[in-house]
Amino acid sequence: MSLLRLSQVSLQYGPAEGRDVPPVLQGINLDIRRGDFISVIGRSGSGKTSLLNLAAGFLSPNLGRIEIDGRPVTGPGAERAVVFQDDALFPWRRVEDNVALALKLAGVPREDRLVRAHRWLADVGLDGQGAKQVWELSGGQRQRVGIARALAAEPEFLLMDEPLGALDAMTRDQMHELLLRLWRQSHAGALLITHSVEEALFLSTAVVVLAPDPGRIVLHEEFGYGRRFLDGEDPRALKSEPGFIAARERLLSAIYQEEHA
Ligand SMILES: Nc1ncnc2c1ncn2[C@@H]1O[C@H](COP(=O)(O)OP(=O)(O)O)[C@@H](O)[C@H]1O
Ligand SMILES: [Mg+2]
């Protein structure tokens, strides 16, 4: 059982001395296990992207530790895949080559790469689209390629920064189902940054609320709606349950409490 652990993590951009700006993140404790689906929500500037960049190994903390199974994280690694806010695909490569490139980096032999890329594309609903150019795809399709590329390397952890932020509501709902299905199938631990409270609540095994200045965790609560959906319950019925609505209000007030205080 793999564990990505942030212990007492603080982050400050640039030299800290001589400045009275609060740290971007302070005293963050967060565990992500395989099989977890953890969403992080919070106001703009609360440090969500910084938190994901720390977990990905793109940034190092000023204080505290980031470890996988007790080993310090010192940079990016193949066991952690990232899906970016904008699709971050190579626009001059075909769809299948974007996925196959991730497999190349993961050390998959050449003859296997395209076969596996096509299988992943089929898994995200893009069967037969591999030979298309990236610019021929819609925004939702591009994000599917980004997810296929991330999962193709069979990571232990899937780190996503607002991957659905630019999509329309109907496409988002379809992507929720896809994400949950792929999450269960891959047994990865997911960390999702989102600005949608409802999305966080519906998908996650736990939701973390960050408050800004300094960025810190003000609420950490567990939920089971995504699992219930995967077990066959109707999403609209789940989202209109009194418990769901009350939880949404609780999360919203945790996000906005200090603004109104
Ligand atoms: N590379 C950077 N250099 C300096 N400050 C940064 C950098 N990236 C983010 N910040 C600052 O850190 C704070 C948190 O940013 P970010 O992690 O992007 O928050 P969020 O994703 O929640 O909007 C913001 O005040 C932002 O201006
Ligand atoms: Mg952000």
Side-chain angles (χ1 to χ4, degrees), residues 170-190:
M170 251 167 61
T171 310
R172 275 179 95 111
D173 283 346
Q174 290 167 356
M175 293 293 280
H176 290 164
E177 183 173 349
L178 177 74
L179 272 184
L180 282 172
R181 200 164 49 70
L182 292 170
W183 163 67
R184 183 163 67 179
Q185 185 183 314
S186 66
H187 304 289

Side-chain angles (χ1 to χ4, degrees), residues 176-234:
H176 290 164
E177 183 173 349
L178 177 74
L179 272 184
L180 282 172
R181 200 164 49 70
L182 292 170
W183 163 67
R184 183 163 67 179
Q185 185 183 314
S186 66
H187 304 289
L191 179 68
L192 173 75
I193 310 294
T194 174
H195 57 248
S196 165
V197 172
E198 185 161 296
E199 178 170 293
L201 189 52
F202 182 65
L203 295 177
S204 314
T205 58
V207 178
V208 167
V209 178
L210 278 187
D213 303 321
R216 65 206 185 278
I217 294 176
V218 291
L219 190 76
H220 187 157
E221 198 174 328
E222 296 188 356
F223 298 101
Y225 296 103
R227 288 215 171 98
R228 287 175 60 192
F229 169 70
L230 284 171
D231 289 340
E233 292 193 49
D234 175 56

Side-chain angles (χ1 to χ4, degrees), residues 45 48-50 85 161-162 193:
K48 303 183 295 296
T49 294
S50 301
Q85 191 159 8
D161 191 359
E162 303 201 17
I193 310 294

